[in-house]
Amino acid sequence: MTPQRWNATERYAADVFGQEDEVLRAIAEATRSAGLPPISVSAEEGRLLMILASLTPGRLAVELGSLGGYSGTWLARGLDPAGRLITIEADPHHADVAESAFRTAGIAHQVEVRRGRALAVLPGLADELGPESVDVAFVDAEKVEYPDYFRLLEPLIAPGGLYLADNVYGTGDSWIDEPDGNPGIAAIDEMNRMVAGNARFEAVAIPIRTGLLIARRRE
Ligand code: SAH
Ligand code: MG
């Protein structure tokens, strides 16, 4: 697989599997025009998040890192119609843009944006939700905190539930198999190995965009 070959494969995947409806296109555009960084999941990865969520009971999802609400909208679409998404965002401007996206998507009644840093918000949220209550967790916030995210979220995942994490093969600048002193990369590697070595989960990461970890809590 040469870089050229990989780019061509990605273009093909985006062309064939990356369709978006008007709502998702509008959310992507609103994210751009609000000046947020271009680091949302791709449409193909978003579609995968939706498919994965729809394979669970889809009662409750928790996302870390809302940005403009793009991945959250895909995730929410995979939930049960009565299911809920709680998405945590540290940047108040991003949280505003995400809330507006969820209104655009007509899912504001299902989605709650919790403002604050994930590690500050999660302990209280864990008490509130209770153990084994989350069908899907999607981690996409601060890379150096990835090991702590898994430690805090692990007890919350329901049997059969999913723990998903973005950028687990790299961040775009640094790659997981080329340690360059980047603390984010070291932390992602630590989390990957922690999840892979956890006997309560089956885990694999697929090279979609910069890598998606898919871990399923055993029944
Ligand atoms: N999941 C989004 C992209 C998230 S980008 C999507 O695909 O559409 C990462 C987001 O995490 C940014 O909005 C950033 O502000 C937020 N973030 C960074 N550090 C955080 C932290 N410690 N806690 C919560 N959010 C954080
Ligand atoms: Mg990401």
Side-chain angles (χ1 to χ4, degrees), residues 31 36-37 39-42 49 63-72 87-91 94-95 114 116-119 138-143 145 149 166 209:
T31 299
L36 273 48
I39 53 174
S40 306
V41 298
S42 61
L49 294 175
E63 177 183 60
L64 311 190
S66 323
L67 193 69
Y70 185 78
S71 56
T87 179
I88 302 174
E89 175 54 55
D91 184 304
H94 297 185
R114 291 269 171 117
R117 295 187 60 84
L119 292 183
F138 176 54
V139 166
D140 196 16
E142 175 56 64
K143 306 311 165 197
E145 296 180 349
Y149 295 160
D166 191 32
R209 209 167 142 269

Side-chain angles (χ1 to χ4, degrees), residues 59-126:
R59 294 160 296 202
L60 178 60
V62 172
E63 177 183 60
L64 311 190
S66 323
L67 193 69
Y70 185 78
S71 56
T73 300
W74 279 108
L75 268 176
R77 287 182 177 187
L79 298 178
D80 183 87
R84 287 196 304 145
L85 167 68
I86 298 172
T87 179
I88 302 174
E89 175 54 55
D91 184 304
H93 177 49
H94 297 185
D96 289 343
V97 176
E99 278 176 350
S100 152
F102 300 132
R103 286 193 295 273
T104 301
I107 53 174
H109 58 288
Q110 268 183 292
V111 184
E112 186 193 337
V113 181
R114 291 269 171 117
R115 291 162 187 254
R117 295 187 60 84
L119 292 183
V121 173
L122 272 173
L125 187 64

Side-chain angles (χ1 to χ4, degrees), residues 39-57:
I39 53 174
S40 306
V41 298
S42 61
E44 309 87 88
E45 189 180 357
R47 173 164 285 104
L48 178 58
L49 294 175
M50 178 179 76
I51 292 169
L52 290 170
S54 72
L55 296 173
T56 75

Side-chain angles (χ1 to χ4, degrees), residues 18-43:
Q19 309 93 329
E20 293 170 317
D21 65 10
E22 267 168 40
V23 167
L24 284 159
R25 264 200 301 279
I27 292 171
E29 178 48 38
T31 299
R32 263 193 301 277
S33 61
L36 273 48
I39 53 174
S40 306
V41 298
S42 61

Side-chain angles (χ1 to χ4, degrees), residues 108-209:
H109 58 288
Q110 268 183 292
V111 184
E112 186 193 337
V113 181
R114 291 269 171 117
R115 291 162 187 254
R117 295 187 60 84
L119 292 183
V121 173
L122 272 173
L125 187 64
D127 289 344
E128 182 185 321
L129 299 176
E132 302 191 337
S133 58
V134 173
D135 292 313
V136 186
F138 176 54
V139 166
D140 196 16
E142 175 56 64
K143 306 311 165 197
V144 295
E145 296 180 349
Y146 269 30
D148 288 330
Y149 295 160
F150 183 66
R151 286 186 198 101
L152 286 165
L153 286 166
E154 198 250 20
L156 300 185
I157 309 288
L162 299 175
Y163 176 83
L164 311 173
D166 191 32
N167 314 108
V168 299
Y169 282 144
T171 59
D173 304 317
S174 303
W175 299 98
I176 202 79
D177 55 334
E178 295 176 351
D180 58 359
N182 180 323
I185 289 293
I188 296 167
D189 181 50
E190 183 187 343
M191 182 208 66
N192 284 343
R193 292 173 191 277
M194 194 186 287
V195 179
N198 186 310
R200 303 210 302 166
F201 285 79
E202 281 297 347
V204 71
I206 60 165
I208 188 167
R209 209 167 142 269

